[in-house]
Amino acid sequence: MSEISKNGEKETKPQYQVSRRGFLKTGAAAAAMSVMGAIAAPSKVANAAIHDLSYTPAKGQWSKLRPVNHYGGATVHFVENNDQWLGTSKIVGPIKKSGEFNSGFGLATRGLLGDKARFGLLSQGERSPLTGGIMQALGMISGDETVMGTPRKDKLPIPDPEQMSQHIKDLAYYLRADDVGIGQMPSYGYYGTKCMPPITVIAAGILPPQTPIAEVPNTEPEYPYVITVAVEQHLETYLASTGYDGISVSQSMRCYHATANIAVIMARYIRNIGYNARAHHFGNYGLAVPPALIASGLGEHTRTGDCVAHPRMGFRNKCAAVTTDLPLVADKPIDFGMLDFCRVCMKCAVECPSKAISPDKEPVEMNGYLRWNSDYKKCAVFRCSNEEGVNCGRCMKVCPWNSKENSWFHEAGLWIGSKGETASTMLKAIDDMFGYGTEIVDKYKWWLEWPELHKINIPS
Ligand code: SF4
Ligand code: SF4
């Protein structure tokens, strides 16, 4: 890596960096695009596409905002929603319901990943002053009395399910979601057990670290629909960050808080018009978010395990959900070639500081479906024990799907990336050539850090 100075701005560039502007000027980009355009989309081994993805509002619909998903330049198809497939991930056996008790953060909170991980996690709000502020605000909307409740007795008149779905999406955009989808919630996506008290209440410092945590059966109702909302993590901030420095945890928590706000307001609104609704967010989950996202057409699995990528944002976003019995029309899961891209791209596996991400070529069976197997314990240990910063989002920073600026070139890049394995190999090569993902763009650094706070104090 070498440092260059340009107009007083410093950028860290890889040794063999090609100038993006020069590349575009020579027309090489255009040539590459036309070559890639000639590469036919492969015949999909996964769930067959059934039609193009362009939402056409029903005649007379009254949507006023932005009811169409913004997928960037990616080529996106709907896929069938059934018990053979979870989006583009093949179901090969029974899927057991999960819970937070034995998740990475669950194990860390309970002290089963060592004292350093435990106290590192429990002191995130002190080690990152900005995160402490966000977590406090998040804690205030995390109680059961906020995320769930009884709907009004007499249901208000509402439009037909299609119009109502449109309205719910408008509401999500009005509340500042970056994307929204509606899915048929698979029963296996609901948690089988819950933690009492919730893990996050302890991790947020609302209860003392020694508070005992019990695992209890989840007896909450399973409503048929799930509304998922995503809020994008700030691109320029990631471009200026290593992914595991002092801003890392705040990047996540800001979006957890933003999506929690949307979900809580939306669930209360639905209850206020007479239907059941439960908000699920970082401070209080009753479901696993990845299957809800896939069911509602907001993404596909990636090499990073249960993490789901969006066609435009990749997994540089955070999500929350609302489950409900409000009559809605579910969207379908989508296919934009993420699995093909991950097959040839190992960037997250190479760059992960804890080597938690699988370098395997193909997905393997995990709890009844095929996906790459990331080592969630290794990841949790690194994230909770990291003293170079607080937490980690290195995989998010380096993923070619996540690290794009908004320009025609990057939209074209996403289009190429969604055209199958051969095209993905070319895009990955271009991405590496430009040094995307791994570069540090100092001119975007705006935040303050106090490295002396990053050290983890273990009480005697
Ligand atoms: S968050 Fe960090 S440690 Fe965890 S998988 Fe991503 S890069 Fe690896
Ligand atoms: S870095 Fe590459 S392999 Fe990892 S999730 Fe992103 S596209 Fe997939």
Side-chain angles (χ1 to χ4, degrees):
M1 306 289 278
S2 61
E3 291 268 301
I4 63 162
S5 182
K6 191 174 57 187
N7 301 330
E9 295 162 343
K10 272 201 309 181
E11 288 188 40
T12 307
K13 301 256 179 183
Q15 202 176 353
Y16 301 110
Q17 174 109 17
V18 174
S19 148
R20 273 171 247 178
R21 193 172 297 138
F23 180 79
L24 295 172
K25 262 190 189 163
T26 60
M33 299 306 159
S34 67
V35 168
M36 300 317 296
I39 298 173
S43 56
K44 289 283 167 193
V45 285
N47 208 350
I50 53 173
H51 57 78
D52 277 345
L53 188 74
S54 55
Y55 180 80
T56 308
K59 195 173 175 209
Q61 65 88 19
W62 33 269
S63 168
K64 301 288 190 297
L65 297 176
R66 185 161 59 85
V68 183
N69 297 92
H70 180 11
Y71 288 135
T75 303
V76 181
H77 302 281
F78 286 133
V79 294
E80 287 297 350
N81 189 15
N82 55 42
D83 57 7
Q84 308 288 302
W85 294 89
L86 174 58
T88 51
S89 301
K90 178 106 179 86
I91 296 175
V92 292
I95 301 177
K96 284 200 268 1
K97 293 184 175 194
S98 60
E100 284 179 325
F101 196 64
N102 291 312
S103 67
F105 284 156
L107 296 176
T109 309
R110 292 160 56 211
L112 298 176
L113 298 181
D115 280 349
K116 193 169 179 189
R118 182 183 184 202
F119 290 104
L121 175 67
L122 297 176
S123 60
Q124 286 189 141
E126 291 157 35
R127 295 164 60 226
S128 164
L130 175 57
T131 299
I134 300 171
M135 280 165 64
Q136 186 190 27
L138 185 57
M140 288 174 182
I141 54 171
S142 293
D144 281 357
E145 68 290 352
T146 306
V147 299
M148 49 186 109
T150 309
R152 69 179 281 150
K153 278 205 195 85
D154 49 328
K155 289 180 167 49
L156 298 183
I158 56 170
D160 67 54
E162 191 172 337
Q163 295 267 309
M164 197 61 200
S165 302
Q166 193 66 62
H167 167 68
I168 286 293
K169 290 180 178 181
D170 280 341
L171 173 62
Y173 292 128
Y174 174 71
L175 295 172
R176 296 303 187 96
D178 286 317
D179 211 348
V180 55
I182 296 172
Q184 241 166 354
M185 184 64 199
S187 177
Y188 57 74
Y190 281 102
Y191 275 167
T193 63
K194 290 178 66 176
C195 292
M196 293 298 284
I199 291 286
T200 41
V201 172
I202 298 175
I206 295 165
L207 289 174
Q210 60 275 17
T211 307
I213 304 168
E215 186 180 32
V216 298
N218 182 12
T219 56
E220 290 180 20
E222 296 185 0
Y223 302 126
Y225 297 109
V226 62
I227 305 156
T228 53
V229 292
V231 169
E232 194 168 357
Q233 299 195 40
H234 194 233
L235 174 62
E236 282 77 10
T237 301
Y238 258 127
L239 292 176
S241 159
T242 61
Y244 49 87
D245 51 24
I247 196 64
S248 175
V249 67
S250 307
Q251 278 276 77
S252 297
M253 296 308 294
R254 180 189 79 79
C255 294
Y256 278 132
H257 177 244
T259 50
N261 260 329
I262 297 168
V264 161
I265 294 169
M266 197 176 265
R268 182 62 186 249
Y269 170 66
I270 294 171
R271 294 198 297 273
N272 285 349
I273 61 176
Y275 294 85
N276 287 294
R278 198 270 204 217
H280 305 261
H281 64 71
F282 182 83
N284 192 329
Y285 288 119
L287 53 68
V289 174
L293 285 173
I294 294 173
S296 50
L298 283 199
E300 288 185 73
H301 271 129
T302 66
R303 179 175 289 283
T304 54
D306 241 350
C307 198
V308 168
H310 179 273
R312 177 174 59 84
M313 298 180 270
F315 53 95
R316 185 171 44 79
N317 63 73
K318 292 295 179 196
C319 301
V322 174
T323 47
T324 182
D325 57 7
L326 179 72
L328 295 170
V329 177
D331 297 315
K332 286 181 181 294
I334 55 173
D335 175 1
F336 54 96
M338 194 72 214
L339 300 186
D340 285 339
F341 198 92
C342 285
R343 273 190 185 90
V344 300
C345 172
M346 303 268 176
K347 214 158 182 173
C348 54
V350 170
E351 293 287 334
C352 170
S354 69
K355 298 289 168 245
I357 300 174
S358 163
D360 293 348
K361 167 94 173 155
E362 294 296 329
V364 296
E365 182 185 350
M366 291 295 307
N367 187 26
Y369 54 94
L370 296 180
R371 71 164 171 81
W372 280 281
N373 178 19
S374 67
D375 188 330
Y376 67 98
K377 290 186 191 171
K378 272 190 188 170
C379 170
V381 168
F382 181 84
R383 290 169 79 176
C384 300
S385 311
N386 174 25
E387 292 181 304
E388 278 187 58
V390 185
N391 214 302
C392 178
R394 179 76 177 165
C395 45
M396 194 175 297
K397 177 191 164 68
V398 302
C399 174
W401 221 279
N402 303 347
S403 58
K404 298 294 175 283
E405 296 152 9
N406 290 324
S407 73
W408 70 269
F409 178 78
H410 298 101
E411 298 236 336
L414 291 187
W415 183 84
I416 290 173
S418 58
K419 289 292 177 194
E421 247 183 69
T422 315
S424 299
T425 305
M426 168 82 83
L427 181 63
K428 163 72 166 34
I430 294 173
D431 199 82
D432 285 346
M433 185 169 70
F434 283 158
Y436 277 129
T438 49
E439 67 185 349
I440 308 288
V441 187
D442 285 342
K443 67 182 177 184
Y444 292 139
K445 180 162 183 183
W446 60 269
W447 66 94
L448 300 178
E449 285 192 40
W450 293 270
E452 64 274 23
L453 293 184
H454 298 162
K455 187 167 169 14
I456 297 165
N457 295 314
I458 300 172
S460 49

